Amino acid sequence: MQRVHPEDSERQDRIEVRGGGPLEGPVAISGAKNSVLKLMAASLLTEGTFTLRNVPDIDDVAVMADVLRAMGVAVRRIGDALVIERPAAITPEAPYALTERLRASTAVLGPLLAGTGHARVALPGGDDFGPRPIDMHIAGLEAIGCRFEIAGGDVHATADNLVGDSVLLEFPSVGATENVMMAAVRAKGTTVIDNAAREPEIADLAGFLNRMGGQVTGAGTSTITVEGVEELCPVDHAVVSDRIEAATFLAAVGMAGGEITLVGARPDHMAMLCRKLGEMGVRTSPDPDGIWAMCTGRLRSVDVSTLPYPGLPTDCKPLLVAMLSVAEGVGIVTENLFSGRFRYVDELMRMGADIRTESHHAVIRGVESLSGAPVRASDIRAGAALVVAGLAADGVTAVADPHHIDRGYEDFAGKLSALGGDVRRLRPVG
Ligand code: UD1
């Protein structure tokens, strides 16, 4: 990885953070990235005009909009809404130039197959935290009548006749569960997905499909039943709140101290995280507006293990590692979902953190304080964790490659700064 030298950092797009005072006040939590991308894909299921509300203004949404546009769909943003006009005829193809920028574009497979009987989607490569295969998506879709062929880096799929069946997922994969749900909604007969993922974004997708006229029950549990229907209609739908963005602000208040309210956050979607943060010394409680949170004094170490929902989200892990690096004691973090998701650890160590990684474990010995340094974001959550770490560091932390953060956070620096954090987005001059 290319190292940022302090003299270069002036010329780079970056987020600069100065550690210091507490965070205070309300912060609005946006709609969930991991939901809206799938809802946009689901709009391929039928002709007509869809409106999605509470849509975060983030780069991943812009890329997914381009994926839809490449197929002939019109997508316009109006305020926090996205208006999607899906014409009768579309080109059911997602090109590599877009899928390599957005792995979640594989979510178009199911809706394209159900909506047009065809799909050609360029396979995205691996990413910074390991391989991201789609074998479970394919096995699940094959079980209900889709046929696949992989050639030239593309997945070619056809579905002349989707027929409901039982689909037993090897692992509760979020993406596979969603793809099968979106195809099964138009299949003939009943599909039962067992060992389904239970994430709140899956329940949001089920709500969206049901509003369209689908018959999906059990979303949010491990068994989802989809009765195929012949007709669907376009709808207006508000995206569920982003629990990972909310978690990021909880981590921020844990690091900087203070008292904040996450407006629009869903405490019922964050129970495990709030429990762990409580053990670490971050108090949270449901509030009429969302979630109230307060932290005073030094954090305490805990052991954490990532698991599918309702376990601790893997997406929160970099945030927890950052928090543990200044907590009192030793904490062990175990990653159970992705093979290598510890790249940001080197960057935290540049800031003075004491972390040892071995296979899918990280052992973090809390230090009294971090020291600001030039560091580089390697993915969305790692980038956010480095900014959050900067809140508890002496001096200046300059996080390079903030475009990773822009993929999933709407105005991250602006929201932190409105809470009183000394955080600025600096763009290169000239
Ligand atoms: C989604 C989220 C991501 C989150 C992850 C787990 C989106 C856009 N992304 O990703 O932020 O970290 O859920 O909560 O919603 N796997 C296979 N074969 C497959 C599918 C998955 O081996 O066909 C493996 C993956 O490599 C990974 C594990 O299963 O090790 C979980 O992946 P999955 O739940 O599918 O995550 P995504 O849907 O890709």
Side-chain angles (χ1 to χ4, degrees):
M1 181 172 37
Q2 199 194 340
R3 176 60 55 213
V4 189
H5 294 293
E7 63 272 21
D8 291 338
S9 68
E10 295 303 309
R11 294 195 291 271
Q12 279 176 334
D13 188 12
R14 63 198 187 278
I15 294 180
E16 262 188 22
V17 192
R18 282 173 181 74
L23 302 182
E24 304 285 347
V27 58
I29 301 303
S30 300
K33 167 182 90 72
N34 287 353
S35 188
V36 69
L37 299 175
K38 321 306 169 63
L39 302 178
M40 291 171 76
S43 69
L44 293 167
L45 275 164
T46 197
E47 182 187 351
T49 304
F50 292 79
T51 304
L52 293 175
R53 300 180 194 277
N54 198 28
V55 175
D57 192 0
I58 54 175
D59 285 358
D60 274 9
V61 165
V63 179
M64 188 54 118
D66 284 342
V67 171
L68 299 186
R69 287 187 189 112
M71 296 178 187
V73 176
V75 185
R76 273 175 307 136
R77 180 179 269 280
I78 304 174
D80 81 343
L82 217 52
V83 178
I84 301 172
E85 288 173 56
R86 195 285 208 193
I90 55 171
T91 310
E93 294 181 7
Y96 183 60
L98 294 172
T99 63
E100 71 159 346
R101 290 177 60 200
L102 181 66
R103 307 193 46 81
S105 46
T106 49
V108 300
L109 269 176
L112 282 180
L113 285 165
T116 70
H118 295 275
R120 182 183 172 131
V121 176
L123 273 177
D127 64 21
D128 222 38
F129 40 93
R132 299 282 287 265
I134 58 163
D135 53 316
M136 290 179 217
H137 301 229
I138 292 177
L141 291 168
E142 276 178 344
I144 58 171
C146 305
R147 284 189 307 279
F148 286 86
E149 193 185 304
I150 295 181
D154 291 347
V155 183
H156 299 250
T158 49
D160 303 330
N161 200 11
L162 286 171
V163 182
D165 208 327
S166 52
V167 174
L168 174 59
L169 295 176
E170 208 175 309
F171 182 89
S173 152
V174 172
T177 304
E178 292 166 337
N179 252 327
V180 175
M181 273 167 70
M182 290 189 277
V185 81
R186 290 290 305 274
K188 208 173 169 59
T190 309
T191 301
V192 179
I193 311 170
D194 264 316
N195 200 22
R198 298 158 62 184
E199 271 70 0
E201 295 76 25
I202 305 255
D204 198 28
L205 176 60
F208 181 84
L209 295 174
N210 286 342
R211 199 166 280 182
M212 288 177 71
Q215 291 187 23
V216 183
T217 51
T221 77
S222 321
T223 304
I224 298 176
T225 304
V226 186
E227 300 282 353
V229 296
E230 282 191 5
E231 258 187 71
L232 294 167
C233 60
V235 290
D236 188 315
H237 180 92
V239 181
V240 71
S241 160
D242 195 321
R243 64 201 164 94
I244 311 296
E245 189 197 21
T248 308
F249 286 100
L250 291 180
V253 80
M255 293 298 261
E259 183 176 353
I260 64 174
T261 305
L262 311 178
V263 179
R266 291 279 301 262
D268 51 329
H269 293 168
M270 304 178 64
M272 187 65 79
L273 181 75
C274 288
R275 184 201 292 183
K276 273 290 164 192
L277 291 179
E279 289 170 26
M280 292 182 76
V282 181
R283 288 169 56 200
T284 58
S285 87
D287 176 278
D289 285 337
I291 299 178
W292 167 89
M294 183 164 97
C295 185
T296 49
R298 192 172 175 194
L299 294 167
R300 294 182 292 276
S301 289
V302 290
D303 293 341
V304 299
S305 203
T306 64
L307 281 173
Y309 189 84
L312 265 185
T314 177
D315 291 358
C316 291
K317 193 189 55 184
L319 298 164
L320 290 162
V321 172
M323 293 173 83
L324 289 169
S325 41
V326 289
E328 191 168 354
V330 178
I332 301 178
V333 173
T334 303
E335 169 61 55
N336 291 311
L337 272 82
F338 292 103
S339 54
R341 213 178 180 181
F342 281 119
R343 190 142 162 200
Y344 55 92
V345 160
D346 290 342
E347 304 299 281
L348 286 173
M349 285 167 68
R350 284 173 54 70
M351 297 176 69
D354 179 351
I355 307 172
R356 209 159 39 79
T357 55
E358 207 179 295
S359 136
H360 59 301
H361 305 286
V363 181
I364 303 115
R365 193 175 297 275
V367 295
E368 290 274 340
S369 76
L370 297 172
S371 71
V375 290
R376 191 177 288 280
S378 54
D379 71 50
I380 306 177
R381 308 306 170 190
L386 292 171
V387 173
V388 163
L391 293 170
D394 296 329
V396 182
T397 300
V399 182
D401 286 348
H403 60 89
H404 287 292
I405 298 173
D406 298 339
R407 287 187 48 198
Y409 290 89
E410 178 175 319
D411 191 18
F412 188 43
K415 287 188 183 183
L416 282 170
S417 135
L419 289 171
D422 190 344
V423 183
R424 287 183 301 161
R425 175 68 181 262
L426 295 170
R427 316 239 174 212
V429 188

